Amino acid sequence: MWWRIGRQWLAILALTGIMLPAALSMPVARAAVPPPGDDPFYAAPTDLASHPNGALLGSRTITLLGLPIPVAAWQLRYRTTDSGERPQLNVTTVLVPPIPWTGPRPVLSYQVPENSLDTQCAPSFMLRGGRNTDIASTVQDMPFIVEALRRGWAVVVSDYEGPQSRLFDGVTSGRGVLDGIRAARSFPPAGIDTSSPIGAWGYSSGAFATLWATQLRREYAPDVRFAGTSAGGIPTDIPTMAQRADGAVGALLILLGLARNEPDSRLADLLNDRGRRALLAADTSACGADLAQKYPDVHLDDFAEVPNLLAHPAFRSAATHNELGSTAPDTPLYLYHSVTDEKIPVAGYTALVDAYCAQGATLTATHSQFPTHIGAAAGEAFGGMNFLADRFSGTPPAPGCVVQ
């Protein structure tokens, strides 16, 4: 049975991967979408600090992907607070399907993987119809967003990295997710409010933001209660993950993100002249796909003053601040990860599950037999979606920890 489900999802993903890029390349009579850096909608108001977290600070109607798709779509500006306790302006995209719903409509906070160091790669830019080299990150998640809309759910997609694109900043990402939900609930045209059941879902770096939001909810946003959370391909044990990716763009993104986000770690001081000049100066405005093209076979020690940079205490310190697992979410969880994930070793996932269970979490965790990182994203999606559907319907989750 599992292979039939997997083949169905893989077929959907493959079809989307063929048809959606073709549709996006078709000439459409529309104005060019400016990148966030050139779009006044993303500019913070001078009185930003005077507003509470989650405050709605503006809205606009958009056309989803710049295409004639029959879904009501808006983008909202809202206030949040980053991990350095600085106020910042974020943007979220709210989607509502043309499907009547009796009672409060469920809301899915969906975290698209945002593997970038600049806002030109933010989900909101591409969901509005912007085009760049990293559009595949959003396109590959569209089948899951479309399925949520098909079920009648509203979908909220926040730019959780924020205006500085703080990649792998756990607190900033989690707060950005929570405040995006708050803003969406206070926007009357979307037809959702505090009575609407909320679910959260993300895969890969989207799972990182999703789980940080569930960990922070109780302390940071007690008014936002999740009916359930699904997350897969979860980034854990950041040094080991970076080691696995060394020689590819993933390790470079992790290094640059941590060096920029964690100045107190002095990680940036360990880069050599080539690293500081070529990476920190020139490439911090690039999408992941841009860096992959420029550095197809990059090893981090080529850009460092010290050998074995990933084992250095400065790197370890910067990573530790952003590891998941310090607090168990008080939300029912559905977690999944391929045992043959080639990007994120499964051992870190197992350790995270054990940490959550030891702290009393309610969760179902699957060690997936679907091969590879992308394979589990497709193959386990039905489980993640149906888990949220059950929570929205009021069906109680299995108690305690169910690990398989």
Side-chain angles (χ1 to χ4, degrees), residues 382-403:
F382 273 121
M385 186 73 73
N386 290 337
F387 177 84
L388 293 173
D390 287 344
R391 305 293 81 74
F392 288 154
S393 70
T395 302
C401 283
V402 179
V403 181

Side-chain angles (χ1 to χ4, degrees), residues 4-215:
R4 292 176 182 167
I5 296 173
R7 288 200 312 177
Q8 183 175 352
W9 267 106
L10 288 170
I12 293 171
L13 285 169
L15 187 62
T16 303
I18 294 170
M19 297 183 64
L20 190 52
L24 292 172
S25 67
M26 293 172 59
V28 178
R30 59 178 175 81
V33 177
D38 299 327
D39 187 342
F41 189 76
Y42 293 81
T46 56
D47 65 344
L48 179 63
S50 67
H51 296 277
N53 289 318
L56 177 62
L57 301 177
S59 66
R60 65 183 177 190
T61 302
I62 67 165
T63 301
L64 180 59
L65 298 172
L67 300 172
I69 299 173
V71 171
W74 304 269
Q75 289 182 335
L76 314 180
R77 294 155 37 100
Y78 64 95
R79 183 253 163 90
T80 187
T81 299
D82 71 10
S83 59
E85 304 305 325
R86 295 173 292 262
Q88 65 179 26
L89 184 98
N90 276 20
V91 170
T92 192
T93 304
V94 180
L95 310 173
V96 179
I99 299 174
W101 194 276
T102 301
R105 186 186 296 272
V107 180
L108 175 62
S109 178
Y110 190 91
Q111 283 58 253
V112 170
E114 191 176 345
N115 299 318
S116 67
L117 296 164
D118 187 77
T119 55
Q120 67 174 313
C121 317
S124 63
F125 174 57
M126 287 174 277
L127 289 172
R128 191 178 174 222
R131 307 289 188 265
N132 61 34
T133 57
D134 219 38
I135 193 168
S137 294
T138 299
V139 168
Q140 68 187 10
D141 278 30
M142 284 307 298
F144 312 129
I145 293 174
V146 168
E147 173 60 15
L149 294 170
R150 187 195 67 79
R151 292 178 183 236
W153 305 346
V155 179
V156 177
V157 184
S158 297
D159 294 353
Y160 53 82
E161 285 189 7
Q164 283 79 46
S165 292
R166 297 175 66 87
L167 178 67
F168 281 115
D169 182 330
V171 171
T172 292
S173 297
R175 289 174 173 178
V177 170
L178 293 166
D179 286 326
I181 295 168
R182 283 168 156 168
R185 291 194 312 191
S186 62
F187 182 63
I192 56 181
D193 55 31
T194 56
S195 66
S196 300
I198 303 167
W201 194 7
Y203 193 81
S204 197
S205 59
F208 178 82
T210 299
L211 289 177
W212 265 102
T214 63
Q215 288 188 177

Side-chain angles (χ1 to χ4, degrees), residues 2 54 116 127 171 180 184 191 217 267 273 300 318 327 339 348 359 375 389:
W2 66 266
S116 67
L127 289 172
V171 171
R217 184 214 68 77
L267 179 57
D273 288 342
L300 298 188
T327 302
V339 296
Q359 297 175 72

Side-chain angles (χ1 to χ4, degrees), residues 245-252 274 279 283 288-299 302-303:
D246 198 22
V249 69
L252 184 58
R274 181 188 179 197
L279 303 184
D283 292 320
D290 297 319
L291 289 176
Q293 293 174 9
K294 188 169 184 179
Y295 300 104
D297 186 25
V298 59
H299 293 273
D302 295 339
F303 299 89

